Amino acid sequence: MGSFELRLPDIVVVTGTASGLGLEVARQLLQSNCQVVGVDMAPSALESDTRYQQVTGSIADTGTWNRVVDLLDAQASATLGLVTCAAILDVGTVPEATAQRIERTMSVNVTGTALGMAIIIPRMEANGGGAIVAVASVNATLAEQQLAIYNASKAAVRQLARTAALDHARRGIRINVLSPGPMMAGLSSDTSRAPPTAPGSWRAGQIDSRKAASSRQARSPKQHCFSCQMGQRHSLAQTSSPMVD
C-alpha cells in the first residue's frame, strides 16, 4: 500500500490573529513548527513566540500587505501558506445598513482577502506552489436573518477563492474554502461581557457579542427562514458544524 506525507508550509500568513479563529489557527501552526506572520489591527498574544512576527494594520490597506511582503522576501526560498481569518460582522437588516457599514464589511471581508491572495500567490508560484485557506461561512450559502451584508461578503469570499483556485491550479496553488458555523470565538465570543461605553472603544470589526448571541434564535424563526421555505431541506442547526468546499 502506498503512503503519503502531509507537509505544512515553512511560513504561513494568518489574518485576524488578535482573537478568535485567527488566533487559534496561528497557535496550532506554531505548535506544528511553522513560522507565522500574523496580520491584525490589534496586538496578538502570540508575539512573545520567536517564530511569530506581527504586522499591525488593516488587511484592506495595501501598505499593510507591503510590510508582509518585506518579511516574506527576507526568506525568499521558504514555502508559503495563507489563511484569511479576519472578518467583521454587523447585525441588522438591509434598510438599517449605512453605506459606511457596507463599505467597511466588504473592505475587510472581501477586499482584504483579495489583497492577501494578490500579494501571496505570485510568490507561491515563484516557489513552485502553495496552499491558501479562505475562511467564509455557512452563511455564504444559507440565509440568516439580519446578517444580509455579512452573508453577501462571505458569499463573495467563497466565489473569489473558487475562481482563484481555477486560475492558479496549473501553477501548483491549492485554494480551499473553510465555511464554519457559529463558534464561541472571535465575533461570537465572551457573551457575558458587557459592551464598553466609551465612544470608539470597540476594536474595528468587533461586535456586541451579547446582542448577536441572544438574538440568533430570534433572527431565525422557521416560518421566515429562506432555507426552510425551500422545502425545509436545511436549517442553521443542521449546518452549524464546519464545512469545507
Side-chain angles (χ1 to χ4, degrees), residues 5-25:
E5 179 183 2
L6 296 177
R7 179 175 298 178
L8 291 170
D10 298 326
I11 303 175
V12 182
V13 179
V14 182
T15 66
T17 51
S19 63
L21 182 62
L23 174 61
E24 296 304 320
V25 167

Side-chain angles (χ1 to χ4, degrees), residues 29-65:
L29 288 168
L30 289 171
Q31 291 176 358
S32 299
N33 296 319
C34 295
Q35 296 182 58
V36 174
V37 175
V39 187
D40 205 299
M41 294 183 68
S44 173
L46 302 174
E47 292 184 49
S48 60
D49 193 312
T50 57
R51 295 164 300 169
Y52 178 88
Q53 294 177 285
Q54 171 91 3
V55 174
T56 302
S58 170
I59 61 171
D61 183 355
T62 55
T64 300
W65 288 107

Side-chain angles (χ1 to χ4, degrees), residues 85-181:
C85 298
I88 61 173
L89 177 153
D90 284 307
V91 176
T93 63
V94 173
E96 294 171 339
T98 64
Q100 182 180 14
R101 283 189 175 185
I102 295 170
E103 181 179 2
R104 184 182 68 166
T105 298
M106 294 298 175
S107 179
V108 173
N109 296 3
V110 183
T111 303
T113 300
L115 288 178
M117 290 183 180
I119 286 293
I120 301 297
I121 286 175
R123 285 160 178 79
M124 287 181 172
E125 291 180 339
N127 289 344
I132 296 174
V133 177
V135 178
S137 167
V138 293
N139 287 2
T141 52
L142 300 176
E144 182 176 358
Q145 289 179 294
Q146 297 185 34
L147 293 178
I149 308 304
Y150 172 80
N151 295 350
S153 73
K154 289 302 186 176
V157 168
R158 178 180 170 128
Q159 283 300 91
L160 172 70
R162 294 174 74 182
T163 306
L166 293 176
D167 289 340
H168 301 281
R170 291 178 179 84
R171 301 293 300 273
I173 310 301
R174 305 185 311 279
I175 305 177
N176 288 282
V177 179
L178 176 66
S179 296

